[in-house]
């Protein structure tokens, strides 16, 4: 996994870590980033259903609706 430290997603994670280091959102986003990297290289995910649930939650949050 190669990380571009200046990518907006990484900068957002850095800011989230500064605000809430022990929060579950930081861990969820970090795991989602690793899963995304695995998918990009064609590797299988250990738990694709969990990844799909995370993606749906992020999409719902971005749309301004609560995740289910």
């Amino acid at each position: 996994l190669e990380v571009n430290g200046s990518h907006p997603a990484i900068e957002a994670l850095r800011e989230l870590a500064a605000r809430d280091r022990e929060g579950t959102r930081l861990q969820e986003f970090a795991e989602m980033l690793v899963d995304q990297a695995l998918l990009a290289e064609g590797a299988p995910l250990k738990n694709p259903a969990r990844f799909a649930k995370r993606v749906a939650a992020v999409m719902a949050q971005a749309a301004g609706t609560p995740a289910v």
Side-chain angles (χ1 to χ4, degrees):
L1 171 64
E2 184 176 324
V3 177
N4 174 356
S6 62
H7 190 280
I10 300 302
E11 290 177 356
L13 285 175
R14 190 178 298 123
E15 290 173 14
L16 180 59
R19 287 191 318 269
D20 189 14
R21 196 157 198 54
E22 300 301 319
T24 57
R25 286 183 69 201
L26 179 62
Q27 181 175 341
E28 288 288 322
F29 288 160
E31 289 177 14
M32 192 172 181
L33 184 64
V34 171
D35 284 348
Q36 182 183 14
L38 289 169
L39 285 174
E41 72 174 13
L45 298 181
K46 289 181 183 177
N47 192 337
R50 185 170 178 191
F51 179 75
K53 185 175 180 179
R54 285 182 181 136
V55 170
V58 169
M59 290 171 61
Q61 183 181 13
T65 59
V68 287

